[in-house]
Amino acid sequence: MRKIVLSNVSKTCGLTATSLSLLTLFGSYASAAPIVGGNVTITGGVPESWGLSQQATLTVNGARTLAISSNNSTLNVNTGSTTQQISASNGSIVNLNGATVAGAGGLAAVLLTNSDATIDNSTVTGNRLGLQAVRNTATQTGSNVVVTGKSTITGVLGGALVSAHSSLDISDSIIQGTGATSYGLRLSSGQAVASNSTFAGGEDGVRIDVDVNDAQPAVLTLESSTVQGHSGSAIVVDFNNASTLPATISLTNSRLLAGNETLLDVRGGANVSMTVNGSTLDGNFVSEQGSTTQLVLQNNSVLTGRLDNIASTTINDTSRWVMVENSDVDTLVLNRGGSVVFGGTNAFYQLNVTNLSGNGRFVMGTDFSTGRTDLLNVSGSATGSHELLITSSGLDPAAGQPIRVVQTAGGDANFSLVNGAVNLGTFSYGLAKSGNDWILDPSTRTVSPGARSVLALFNTASTVWLGELTSLRTRMGELRFDRRQAGAWGRTYANKYNVADGSGVGYQQTQQGFTLGADVLLPFGDGQSLVGVMGGRSQSNLNLNAGTSGSVESYYLGTYVTWLDARTGYYFDGVLKANRFRNDAKVGLSDGARAKGDYDNSGLGGSFEFGKHITFANGNFLEPFTQWSAVVIEGKDYSLSNDLRAEGDRSRSFIGKLGATAGRNIELGQGRVVQPYLRAAWAHEFAKNNEVQVNNNVFNNDLSGSRAELGAGIAVAMTKNLNMHADFEYSSGQYIEQPYGVNLGLRYLW
């Protein structure tokens, strides 16, 4: 037969006269128009098949064709063009740009053998496979495919197949198997790189197996991509015991989705290494006996699922494995903040590890109402330094019973608790080594942050009440500037208290508030008595350290009576005050969680102050006084959000105080007077038993004891109707220190 050579032919409508006569003469080319060398461009006409050889070039511009075969030639199918099956071999080049390939038969819609293809913004659909990139068995050279531009490749049996020595590079595109048992991508010792793309199959997303005639390492690299098996696994690796060469899988910011919850299924003696970067995966990794799987999680990756027969698991860079059931791992390596989370709040698992190493964290939980706990069991070698972050609880463990959280067969591994202790109900427990095991040791217990917040709030009401009350001078300034007039007054104040641990629990309290009042002269008696009403609000914030705090919002109303005798200098001041407290606790727990609780209660108390104003020459004066105060605060039962229960009895405070104020009146003329003064006092708290129960553990909030008080201030008569004052105070005692107390006020007379 004569060889037909076409060169630089353009076909726009059917065949040219020359080609028609040639095809008529040589009937063997009637079903496939041959191009032997040269260049042909078609833009329309009746669809027909084409055969390219000897470095020929066929360009299809907006035309339709039947099947095209290419041998050591180039095929260009451009925008708007449609073809049937494309077969390229022996170093051919296929370029699809905005094209549609609908393979009506054959192995694949696009079949490449020892050829290269670029598929851009195109659609490829096959009755069997969409794309097949395979090697030439004689020369052992493969095919290379680049898929870009939102291309879509589909096939009934599978989307694409890549053999040994062949590669697929896909971006911004989809490769999909549409049949019920199909796969998205099959790598038979091939290599694939995907970016912003999807592999999906009716059964499995990706299948990796062995090219039995020329086994090579398989490589799958996914970046910002998705692999989905609709009814089966995301990735199946099955070597059918035909090779020990590795399959390497890498995921970066990618997803694996599986209909059967198995993200990676390794079978047939396969050797798989998977590295997961910055990805969140939800599903299981299963490796059949006889297969070997190494898994690395890094760059903040999260895996929630089961690891079944995984030979080696390495967790780096604050990545996490969240267990969903009891698990067995041969070798576990934790590095640079890697962690294992023992399931959810109400699930408790045992992790069996043969060999443990590195420096990581285990997030564990306990439920002391049922006696269940998570357990790390290392049966072989345990090395490295590891942290235990054990979920805190508001429930107490069984009295006096240690809690085993780590069991080892030996090794030099060291375990420690995050934040140094774990909060379990009323107390916090430290970690101790017992033989080869690690236990939560009851002998190391201290009062937990939750219990501390409870005790502090029950304690605080009395200091809140006292900070609001103070003495006559700090409440109303200097009445002696003009005793015969009624008036209105107001003051704002700030106090800080440091309460020592010996009182039951230590904390720092800061208080800010204001009081408003008004009084009138009594119309009977000697005209030297005032009766008045007052009301105000204060806000106290508690700092118990370690992220635990509380607050008390107090509203109060009261009445008072004050008598001052101008002749003798004696005075009496009595106050009756009722409070409503709104208490709120925020507890920072050892596992980083927070518990909350709140309650309201009331208080009623009063005080009386008696003293004598003694004048000396040059306006100097001395004022000894005694003050006695008492308050009863309503008890309350409440719970924190972590189920810690608190029961507080009525709390009481009974304080006696003896002291003296010394000062001087400095006349400025025109009715203006400045009165600086110093004050010293001794105070004693007599109340000792303010009982609080936390989870039925009894505590006694005891603030009893003596303290010394020092103060300084100044009162100023600005005009005959306006007085102002400022007062500063410091006190220190066995349980309570007041670093500062500041009081600013004014009184207007009418």
Side-chain angles (χ1 to χ4, degrees), residues 120-145:
D120 179 59
N121 191 29
S122 297
T123 300
V124 178
T125 305
N127 289 342
R128 293 173 60 83
L129 297 179
L131 170 67
Q132 186 167 341
V134 298
R135 61 186 175 84
N136 185 311
T137 56
T139 62
Q140 300 299 314
T141 54
S143 301
N144 303 289
V145 184

Side-chain angles (χ1 to χ4, degrees), residues 367-439:
D367 184 347
F368 296 104
S369 63
T370 62
R372 295 184 298 168
T373 183
D374 291 322
L375 176 66
L376 170 63
N377 176 39
V378 183
S379 59
S381 172
T383 63
S385 296
H386 305 278
E387 294 180 322
L388 304 182
L389 179 60
I390 298 179
T391 304
S392 62
S393 170
L395 303 174
D396 283 6
Q401 297 300 313
I403 304 161
R404 185 179 61 177
V405 290
V406 178
Q407 176 178 293
T408 72
D412 60 359
N414 182 67
F415 294 88
S416 62
L417 289 172
V418 176
N419 297 320
V422 57
N423 309 144
L424 302 176
T426 310
F427 300 99
S428 297
Y429 297 84
L431 190 69
K433 189 173 184 180
S434 175
N436 289 326
D437 299 340
W438 296 80
I439 62 172

Side-chain angles (χ1 to χ4, degrees), residues 649-695:
D649 289 348
R650 289 180 179 175
S651 59
R652 299 168 177 85
S653 174
F654 180 43
I655 298 177
K657 184 185 297 186
L658 294 173
T661 302
R664 182 178 183 180
N665 291 318
I666 303 173
E667 300 286 345
L668 300 180
Q670 298 180 347
R672 293 177 296 170
V673 180
V674 175
Q675 185 189 90
Y677 59 86
L678 298 174
R679 182 177 65 256
W682 173 87
H684 186 82
E685 171 65 76
F686 292 92
K688 295 183 178 180
N689 297 314
N690 292 318
E691 186 175 285
V692 178
Q693 294 188 39
V694 181
N695 288 352

Side-chain angles (χ1 to χ4, degrees), residues 494-497 507-512 539-543 552 740:
N495 300 296
K496 182 174 182 178
Y497 301 98
Y507 59 91
Q508 295 81 46
Q509 173 190 347
T510 56
Q511 179 187 36
Q512 299 86 33
Q539 174 75 36
S540 293
N541 295 313
L542 280 65
N543 179 13
V552 180
Y740 66 81

Side-chain angles (χ1 to χ4, degrees), residues 295-418:
L295 173 64
V296 178
L297 303 177
Q298 58 191 29
N299 295 327
N300 301 309
S301 294
V302 179
L303 168 62
T304 302
R306 185 180 82 251
L307 299 183
D308 190 350
N309 194 39
I310 304 303
S312 173
T313 301
T314 302
I315 306 176
N316 299 326
D317 305 321
T318 64
S319 295
R320 302 193 311 276
W321 168 35
V322 181
M323 297 169 53
V324 295
E325 57 185 76
N326 294 338
S327 297
D328 298 277
V329 175
D330 186 14
T331 299
L332 178 61
V333 182
L334 303 178
N335 292 318
R336 301 190 299 276
S339 62
V340 177
V341 181
F342 282 69
T345 303
N346 298 315
F348 300 93
Y349 304 127
Q350 179 170 321
L351 173 59
N352 299 311
V353 178
T354 303
N355 298 299
L356 172 67
S357 63
N359 299 276
R361 174 178 293 184
F362 295 91
V363 181
M364 312 174 77
T366 53
D367 184 347
F368 296 104
S369 63
T370 62
R372 295 184 298 168
T373 183
D374 291 322
L375 176 66
L376 170 63
N377 176 39
V378 183
S379 59
S381 172
T383 63
S385 296
H386 305 278
E387 294 180 322
L388 304 182
L389 179 60
I390 298 179
T391 304
S392 62
S393 170
L395 303 174
D396 283 6
Q401 297 300 313
I403 304 161
R404 185 179 61 177
V405 290
V406 178
Q407 176 178 293
T408 72
D412 60 359
N414 182 67
F415 294 88
S416 62
L417 289 172
V418 176

